[in-house]
Amino acid sequence: MPPPPRTDLAWLTEYHALCRAYADAQHHCTELIRGQQRRIAALESQLMLLQGELIRRDTALAWAQADQAVLAAGKTPATPEADPAALASSLRAADLVICQTGCVSHGAYWRVEDYCRRTGKPCVLVDQPEALRIVRLHRPPRAESMAASFTPERDDPAA
């Protein structure tokens, strides 16, 4: 038996249903493509960052290798202090610098009853007061003569 004849209204209803399904499918595909575009953009950004990091790392490695080569080429074996007198003199000079900083500059910070609190020995400055040398700034003779010859009336353009 043949199907009953369809009315125009039935065809129209089915047409609208198909159009809605088609629009839903288009919307779904558009959202999928937009999501893929966002994912591609994020991956490209990440790729750019990783390439920059790789360049930075390779450059740092190359610099480190170059530094290592320079150090290896110029490295000489360390020799101990050959002159004990020079070593003792250097140690005395270092003690004087420390004493000048700690005691003189900070109001006898390490000095307790003429003994050094740092070393437990008699204070170097008490035993050898001449060891403390204070540098005084002096004008050179030429600068003093130039300062004395300056007169504001003669050198002042407004006068």
Side-chain angles (χ1 to χ4, degrees):
M1 193 170 109
R6 298 188 79 163
T7 63
D8 287 339
L9 185 60
W11 282 102
L12 190 58
T13 304
E14 189 175 332
Y15 174 75
H16 285 297
L18 284 173
C19 285
R20 278 193 300 274
Y22 177 70
D24 288 343
Q26 272 189 324
H27 179 72
H28 179 70
C29 289
T30 302
E31 288 303 312
L32 284 176
I33 290 172
R34 284 184 185 151
Q36 289 298 317
Q37 287 173 337
R38 286 190 298 269
R39 176 89 172 125
I40 289 169
L43 290 172
E44 286 176 345
S45 176
Q46 185 179 12
L47 175 65
M48 179 76 72
L49 291 173
L50 290 173
Q51 286 174 335
E53 180 61 25
L54 180 65
I55 290 170
R56 187 205 60 78
R57 189 200 64 188
D58 288 349
T59 304
L61 180 62
W63 278 103
Q65 288 172 343
D67 289 346
Q68 186 68 27
V70 168
L71 288 174
K75 191 179 259 187
T76 58
T79 58
E81 183 71 47
D83 185 13
L87 179 60
S89 173
S90 295
L91 290 175
R92 278 194 303 275
D95 273 345
L96 286 175
V97 170
I98 292 171
C99 285
Q100 288 176 14
T101 303
C103 288
V104 175
S105 297
H106 296 109
Y109 177 75
W110 282 314
R111 196 167 165 184
V112 178
E113 297 179 12
D114 294 337
Y115 280 89
C116 181
R117 183 183 322 166
R118 183 178 61 87
T119 62
K121 298 185 289 187
C123 179
V124 174
L125 299 178
V126 172
D127 287 348
Q128 308 167 19
E130 70 279 353
L132 178 63
R133 291 182 228 128
I134 298 176
V135 178
R136 293 188 183 150
L137 298 176
H138 295 286
R139 283 189 189 179
R142 184 169 178 243
E144 289 176 359
S145 64
M146 287 176 64
S149 68
F150 175 73
T151 56
E153 299 81 28
R154 188 170 34 130
D155 293 334
D156 188 10

